[in-house]
Amino acid sequence: MALSAPEISTSGAQRYAGRWTHAIARRAFVPMTSEQVQELLTGHAVRLAQALAAEEFSAEPAREVGRALVEANLTEPDTLGWSLRALTEHLVDDVVPGLALPDQAARLTRLQAALAEGFAWALRDRTFAQQERISRSAWEARNEAEQALRDSEARFRAVFSGAAIGIGIGDLTGQIVDVNQSFADMLGYSRDELRELNVSTLFHDGDAPGIWELYEDLIEGKRDRVRIEKRYFRKDGSELWTDLAVTLIRHDDGRPRFTVAMVQDITERYALQQRLRFQALHDPLTGLPNRTLFFERLEAVLQDREHDRRVGVCFLDLDGFKAINDALGHDVGDQLLIVVARRLAEAGAGAGHLVARMGGDEFVILVEDVDEEGTAIEVAESALRAVADPVYIGANQLAVSASVGVVDRFVTEGTAADLMKAADTTLYWAKAEGGRGRWARYDPERAAREATSTALAAALPAALARDEFVVEYQPIVSLGNGGMRAVEALIRWQHPTLGLLSPDQFIGLAEETGLIIRLGQWVLERSCAEAGRWHKEFPRARLMVSVNLSARQVSDPEIVDQVAGALRHSGLPPDLLQLELTESALMAPGGEPVRALRRLASTGVRLAIDDFGTGYSNLAYLRQLPIHTLKLAGPFVDGMRAQDPASVVAERIVDALVRLAHALGLSVTAESVETLEQVERLTALGCDSGQGRHFGTPAAPATIAELLRSAEMPGG
């Protein structure tokens, strides 16, 4: 009976394909998007439905669908299983609803079988094709590898035989297996002769330390390659310097197999390097080691910290070398340096000391092992003797001497820079001690004091800005009635870490740095201000304040204006201000101090000479100065002690000075008065006033005010 044409439901086919897509996506990776898979499977669903409902049934479309699944890479086994089950469970209901054929079940079974058969055959064909491609690729790779190996061996043999550098192959015992002709030519052997040698015979005691250890690490597999500069000896005994690179060749499992060495002759380059290194490390004028080589050796010595080793440095500088250069010219100076360098080198050669030129006329001797305390000093004295003999250059006979700074210490006590800094400091000490041909030894305590002074000098300006200075006042007492007639202003530095510093610890530094003018002006203004307050509170006391002026202040053109300003702002009467000057300040050249003193005296202030008798004042010149007071230096008063035979002489000197001062109309103040006996003897000699610990130590302004208050009280 004829069948009516089936109606294929497009929406049903899409629904069926959607289930199919979802099932595949859940079971395996799909190399397409869900939309692409569903579109593909919708077409397959329609083909399967058409084959099922066809009037003349054929299962071939199912085979084609099975093959198409494989071609689309939908090859998971679960994919096939679901596809077969869906034929019977969903195809009719979803795609051709209402289809009812007498042999419908048989047709579905045949479609399942055909789909599975097509799927299986397509998968088999693809597997065979892949295996064929793999097999063909393997054969091709093998052929290519064999050809590459043959090509590689040919290239290696060509390189090995024709290379300009030497190439050698050795086994793990060190036996030389083969060398090329270049290697043989370098060493002057035949290739056969070298094949009979072991690598160990090419190593020598003179090789750089560690070379043999590097080779042992290589053949043990601890390294893959080594590159060094190595010296060989040719068959005729001559030296050959080479750039040697040795590579370890391993088995596939990583075990060492053999070594390949490549050797390049660098003898000429090495000689050039040595010449350049010599030039870089030696002074071109004298041929001595230069500062670079010296510091290399010194650093090497300082690295040896395993023993209680001492190292010494003698830093030498010629005396008066600049004068020789200026007078006779640099050519003569250079010749002198050459002679001195040779003498120093000869003096140090016997003991193995390194002698280097640091630059200019400075030389340094490195004593690598100081066995005794005097070893470095002996080296310094030997160097001084070596350069002391006259030097004859042309028609010139030159007297030569030097100064030496000596430092010796344990290698653990600082760096090379520390050692040379100490040596430079010590050389400065030797120069500063005067004379020629001297040495000085480093003193850590002295260096610490100088370092502290340097730090103080640097801190002075900031200290003045931070108001760290204070002024204390020491009483000056009349020897006639015992009353306090004046005070001397004495500056102190309240240092934040060092505490209260006395003037002798920083005034010299202020002089050197030029800060003394600002500092002196500050003391002047502060002292006048304090004295002005005392005068207002205790006008009957008529207490005078005595302020020291430095030589720089006296020479300052503004000193008169500064004094006048201090008096004006403080309200202190001029006759209650005394300015103290040293004899050296009065004797400054140019006459400026005398002119300044006369201008100062015209303002009404009093002037005194401090520490009189210790300088070089011209006594006749003293009459021309507008001076009011002489302050006798402390050593004269200190000599006036009981039970001291010299006290008679000291007393006569004081007596003469007092008489001289009085003859010139000057008053006399004795400094450093410490005992009652000194007071009595000074009073007997007619001295006007005294100052010292017997009368009181320097005190704060409040203490002076309290003394004045007590003096005004009844019975005070």
Side-chain angles (χ1 to χ4, degrees):
M1 162 177 118
L3 298 174
S4 60
E7 293 184 5
I8 304 299
S9 172
T10 302
S11 60
Q14 291 175 345
R15 184 167 57 255
Y16 180 85
R19 293 184 183 183
W20 202 353
T21 300
H22 180 68
I24 291 174
R26 278 193 307 113
R27 289 166 171 74
F29 168 74
V30 179
M32 291 182 287
T33 66
S34 296
E35 292 77 7
Q36 290 173 328
V37 174
Q38 185 165 350
E39 182 180 354
L40 175 68
L41 296 182
T42 299
H44 293 333
V46 171
R47 293 188 65 190
L48 291 172
Q50 289 174 340
L52 176 63
E55 184 176 350
E56 292 185 10
F57 176 77
S58 172
E60 187 59 32
R63 289 190 186 87
E64 294 174 355
V65 170
R67 284 193 294 270
L69 291 176
V70 173
E71 291 169 359
N73 291 313
L74 305 176
T75 56
E76 287 294 323
D78 285 351
T79 299
L80 177 61
W82 191 92
S83 301
L84 296 177
R85 288 194 304 274
L87 279 175
T88 59
E89 295 176 3
H90 304 295
L91 181 63
V92 174
D93 293 339
D94 288 346
V95 185
V96 283
L99 179 66
L101 298 174
D103 58 347
Q104 185 168 308
R107 287 188 177 196
L108 286 172
T109 301
R110 290 177 63 187
L111 286 175
Q112 285 179 319
L115 190 149
E117 180 182 356
F119 187 95
W121 279 100
L123 192 60
R124 173 181 176 277
D125 292 343
R126 190 171 77 168
T127 302
F128 284 165
Q130 289 175 341
Q131 290 177 343
E132 177 64 22
R133 286 195 299 272
I134 292 171
S135 178
R136 185 164 55 252
S137 298
W139 279 103
E140 290 174 353
R142 178 180 176 183
N143 290 336
E144 290 175 358
E146 291 177 349
Q147 184 61 44
L149 180 60
R150 289 191 294 271
D151 293 344
S152 176
E153 290 176 349
R155 286 194 298 271
F156 175 77
R157 184 53 56 186
V159 171
F160 185 81
S161 301
I165 64 172
I167 302 176
I169 302 173
D171 63 21
L172 298 182
T173 68
Q175 184 63 41
I176 297 177
V177 177
D178 198 5
V179 297
N180 66 356
Q181 191 60 46
S182 295
F183 199 172
D185 293 342
M186 284 184 194
L187 296 179
Y189 292 91
S190 69
R191 294 177 65 187
D192 290 337
E193 287 175 327
L194 285 175
R195 291 189 189 104
E196 295 177 0
L197 298 179
N198 191 282
V199 170
S200 61
T201 62
L202 302 178
F203 285 84
H204 305 281
D205 293 338
D207 286 338
I211 286 184
W212 178 253
E213 288 75 11
L214 287 174
Y215 177 73
E216 288 183 325
D217 287 348
L218 189 75
I219 61 178
E220 291 173 4
K222 298 178 181 177
R223 296 173 178 268
D224 288 325
R225 59 189 60 83
V226 170
R227 184 170 183 176
I228 54 174
E229 288 188 358
K230 174 170 168 43
R231 179 181 59 171
Y232 287 100
F233 288 95
R234 297 186 179 94
K235 188 176 181 180
D236 61 8
S238 60
E239 279 189 351
L240 169 73
W241 278 95
T242 66
D243 183 350
L244 172 64
V246 186
T247 301
L248 176 66
I249 307 301
R250 298 176 181 270
H251 289 282
D252 292 341
D253 60 4
R255 289 179 296 112
R257 187 175 181 184
F258 59 88
T259 60
V260 176
M262 288 179 284
V263 184
Q264 184 177 5
D265 185 351
I266 61 168
T267 304
E268 293 184 2
R269 188 183 79 189
Y270 182 82
L272 175 61
Q273 288 175 339
Q274 293 303 106
R275 288 195 297 272
L276 293 176
R277 175 172 172 77
F278 183 88
Q279 293 172 6
L281 298 178
H282 289 77
D283 175 49
L285 177 64
T286 63
L288 289 179
N290 61 14
R291 64 184 300 117
T292 303
L293 180 54
F294 170 78
F295 275 105
E296 281 187 8
R297 286 280 294 274
L298 179 57
E299 290 282 5
V301 173
L302 295 180
Q303 293 303 315
D304 184 11
R305 295 172 177 256
E306 297 181 0
H307 313 288
D308 282 344
R309 186 177 185 181
R310 293 181 68 89
V311 60
V313 168
C314 298
F315 198 10
L316 180 146
D317 179 87
L318 297 183
D319 297 324
F321 179 73
K322 183 178 184 301
I324 295 174
N325 256 347
D326 293 343
L328 302 177
H330 289 277
D331 289 342
V332 173
D334 288 348
Q335 292 299 314
L336 174 60
L337 291 175
I338 292 172
V339 173
V340 170
R342 185 182 69 249
R343 290 181 179 179
L344 291 175
E346 291 172 353
H353 303 317
L354 175 71
V355 180
R357 183 187 179 201
M358 299 298 282
D361 60 335
E362 294 179 340
F363 299 85
V364 64
I365 304 172
L366 176 61
V367 186
E368 295 191 10
D369 290 289
V370 178
D371 299 327
E372 302 173 0
E373 283 292 310
T375 303
I377 294 175
E378 291 172 0
V379 172
E381 292 176 339
S382 175
L384 291 176
R385 289 193 298 270
V387 301
D389 293 336
V391 177
Y392 298 91
I393 299 176
N396 302 296
Q397 176 181 339
L398 305 177
V400 185
S401 66
S403 300
V404 185
V406 181
V407 181
D408 63 274
R409 59 174 55 166
F410 288 106
V411 296
T412 55
E413 297 177 349
T415 64
D418 296 333
L419 188 62
M420 290 310 299
K421 180 181 178 182
D424 188 52
T425 299
T426 312
L427 175 60
Y428 173 79
W429 294 346
K431 290 279 190 183
E433 288 173 1
R436 301 161 67 95
R438 293 175 177 269
W439 59 264
R441 189 174 187 180
Y442 184 70
D443 179 0
E445 294 182 359
R446 179 179 176 181
R449 289 194 301 271
E450 291 189 355
T452 301
S453 296
T454 302
L456 289 176
L460 274 171
L464 185 57
R466 290 193 295 263
D467 202 24
E468 293 179 2
F469 293 97
V470 296
V471 179
E472 294 182 341
Y473 302 88
Q474 186 172 32
I476 299 174
V477 175
S478 170
L479 297 182
N481 58 24
M484 184 171 63
R485 57 173 295 189
V487 290
E488 180 179 358
L490 299 171
I491 188 172
R492 303 285 189 263
W493 183 357
Q494 189 63 57
H495 195 279
T497 57
L498 300 178
L500 194 65
L501 303 181
S502 60
D504 59 348
Q505 293 177 277
F506 61 87
I507 289 297
L509 301 175
E511 290 271 11
E512 294 174 6
T513 60
L515 190 69
I516 190 65
I517 293 178
R518 287 175 54 199
L519 191 60
Q521 182 179 355
W522 180 87
V523 173
L524 175 66
E525 294 173 351
R526 179 63 62 89
S527 302
C528 287
E530 292 289 356
R533 283 191 286 272
W534 295 329
H535 179 66
K536 291 176 183 177
E537 188 174 354
F538 312 104
R540 289 188 301 167
R542 299 287 298 169
L543 184 68
M544 181 173 61
V545 65
S546 190
V547 180
N548 291 279
L549 291 185
S550 68
R552 285 199 178 192
Q553 283 181 279
V554 176
S555 301
D556 185 2
E558 299 180 0
I559 183 60
V560 177
D561 293 336
Q562 291 172 2
V563 171
L567 292 172
R568 184 171 59 255
H569 288 100
S570 65
L572 182 69
D575 63 330
L576 295 185
L577 173 62
Q578 177 173 273
L579 301 177
E580 297 186 16
L581 305 92
T582 62
E583 293 176 83
S584 59
L586 292 172
M587 296 296 108
E592 182 61 33
V594 176
R595 288 191 291 271
L597 289 180
R598 287 175 178 158
R599 291 174 59 199
L600 287 171
S602 67
T603 65
V605 301
R606 296 178 59 83
L607 301 175
I609 298 179
D610 193 18
D611 290 331
F612 185 78
T614 59
Y616 44 85
S617 293
N618 185 325
L619 297 180
Y621 185 56
L622 197 61
R623 293 183 305 169
Q624 305 174 22
L625 301 175
I627 300 299
H628 302 85
T629 301
L630 296 183
K631 298 188 71 174
L632 298 183
F636 295 127
V637 178
D638 187 60
M640 299 171 61
R641 293 180 179 274
Q643 311 302 327
D644 186 351
S647 66
V648 177
V649 177
E651 187 169 336
R652 289 175 180 173
I653 294 174
V654 171
D655 180 44
L657 292 176
V658 170
R659 290 175 182 274
L660 171 65
H662 286 168
L664 295 173
L666 308 177
S667 64
V668 179
T669 298
E671 296 182 303
S672 302
V673 180
E674 298 184 357
T675 67
L676 178 60
E677 182 182 1
Q678 289 173 330
V679 173
E680 293 172 347
R681 296 171 74 177
L682 287 168
T683 303
L685 294 175
C687 188
D688 301 291
S689 56
Q691 174 183 356
R693 283 187 293 180
H694 177 75
F695 300 113
T697 58
T703 303
I704 300 300
E706 187 61 32
L707 291 175
L708 292 172
R709 189 173 292 107
S710 299
E712 287 195 347
M713 295 175 63

